Amino acid sequence: MTFNRFLGRALSLTLLTLGAAAILLPFIWMLSLAFKPQDEIFSASIQLLPSSVEWRNFVVALTETDVPRYLLNGLIVVFGILAFQILFSVPCAFALTQRRFVGRTLVFGMVLAALLVPFHVTAIPIFLGFAQLGLLNSYWALILPFIPTAFGIFLFRQFLAQVPAELFDAARVDGLSETAIVWRIAFPLALPAATAFAIFSITAHWNDLFWPLIANTDPHLATPPRGILFFRDEESGNDVGALMAATVLITAPLVLAFLFAQRKFTQGLATGGLKG
């Protein structure tokens, strides 16, 4: 029995290691190219480690291109989206769990149905509407379509459904308004779910290329993935090292954010999103 358990764990560890290696290989190769001199990038042999570290690639990415601007645009867009999403999702989730009203089940069913509708289905009507309103090529064009989030409402609803209603009733007895209950009691309790949702939201919109490619043609408003296209087309040419260095700079914030928030991310999924 012990040997079988050891064999099973060894097999699981081997499969996980191979899967992780397959997933990480493109990122490792990206790092390798970012630090390689130009002549080694196009050499016939495959060499993972560079013979000498080429810092020039990062200097070019930061000083001779608009990569810092793309990073700033990405921060403005993703945190603008996240702030509005939480501002609307938390009160909606609180109402669906702690308030009794006619049609509550129907409303929650519509939220679940909205999870099945991909954004690409609504992209063209949104684009035409923004064009009529003159909102294209602006930060608002990149933020507004993503403020309504069925996934955010669902995740917070699942988490708040586990909080005893007596806790909120006690707050009402103490004289707190519904708004104060939402933001002073419900939201602090839902911080693990908020962290998990923030990781999902920031990752999705930081990496989004589809909508910025449609709604924005101004290089000064380009988000990181859109900016990489401008960089590739106009700045980098055959300078693959600088292009990979720019990609590393754009990918690094997401990796660092996930590493710092990993514990609360898994806690939020385990205690909120996976229970009914």
Side-chain angles (χ1 to χ4, degrees), residues 26-50:
F27 297 96
I28 296 173
W29 187 244
M30 175 183 68
L31 283 172
S32 175
L33 295 181
F35 288 101
K36 280 184 177 181
Q38 190 75 2
D39 56 342
E40 291 188 21
I41 293 176
F42 294 100
S43 63
S45 61
I46 297 178
Q47 184 178 353
L48 187 61
L49 297 177

Side-chain angles (χ1 to χ4, degrees), residues 91-111:
C92 290
F94 178 82
L96 286 174
T97 56
Q98 304 299 331
R99 303 298 295 174
R100 302 287 179 181
F101 57 89
V102 177
R104 186 177 71 162
T105 303
L106 177 61
V107 172
F108 183 60
M110 295 173 63
V111 171

Side-chain angles (χ1 to χ4, degrees), residues 71-259:
L71 293 173
L72 176 62
N73 291 337
L75 291 174
I76 293 173
V77 171
V78 298
F79 283 106
I81 291 172
L82 179 63
F84 282 112
Q85 285 180 333
I86 291 179
L87 180 64
F88 291 103
S89 297
V90 176
C92 290
F94 178 82
L96 286 174
T97 56
Q98 304 299 331
R99 303 298 295 174
R100 302 287 179 181
F101 57 89
V102 177
R104 186 177 71 162
T105 303
L106 177 61
V107 172
F108 183 60
M110 295 173 63
V111 171
L112 295 179
L115 290 171
L116 304 177
V117 181
F119 175 75
H120 305 78
V121 174
T122 59
I124 294 179
I126 293 174
F127 174 81
L128 295 176
F130 281 6
Q132 292 292 327
L133 295 173
L135 291 177
L136 297 178
N137 290 322
S138 67
Y139 285 124
W140 287 114
L142 300 173
I143 293 174
L144 287 176
F146 304 103
I147 291 177
T149 166
F151 175 71
I153 296 174
F154 172 77
L155 185 63
F156 285 113
R157 185 263 179 196
Q158 295 297 94
F159 193 95
L160 293 177
Q162 303 172 65
V163 179
E166 291 78 7
L167 178 64
F168 302 116
D169 292 336
R172 294 186 183 97
V173 172
D174 289 338
L176 287 182
S177 65
E178 294 299 312
T179 302
I181 292 173
V182 169
W183 296 114
R184 293 175 59 182
I185 298 178
F187 181 65
L189 290 174
L191 277 180
T195 303
F197 175 71
I199 293 293
F200 278 117
S201 177
I202 291 174
T203 301
H205 300 300
W206 184 274
N207 293 328
D208 183 27
L209 177 60
F210 174 76
W211 181 246
L213 193 63
I214 296 175
N216 176 51
T217 58
D218 185 355
H220 297 291
L221 295 176
T223 55
R226 184 72 176 99
I228 284 293
L229 292 184
F230 285 122
F231 180 25
R232 185 192 65 185
D233 294 340
E234 300 176 6
E235 301 290 347
S236 66
N238 293 324
D239 197 350
V240 178
L243 179 62
M244 290 297 102
T247 307
V248 169
L249 293 173
I250 286 173
T251 306
L254 285 182
V255 177
L256 294 176
F258 179 77
L259 291 177

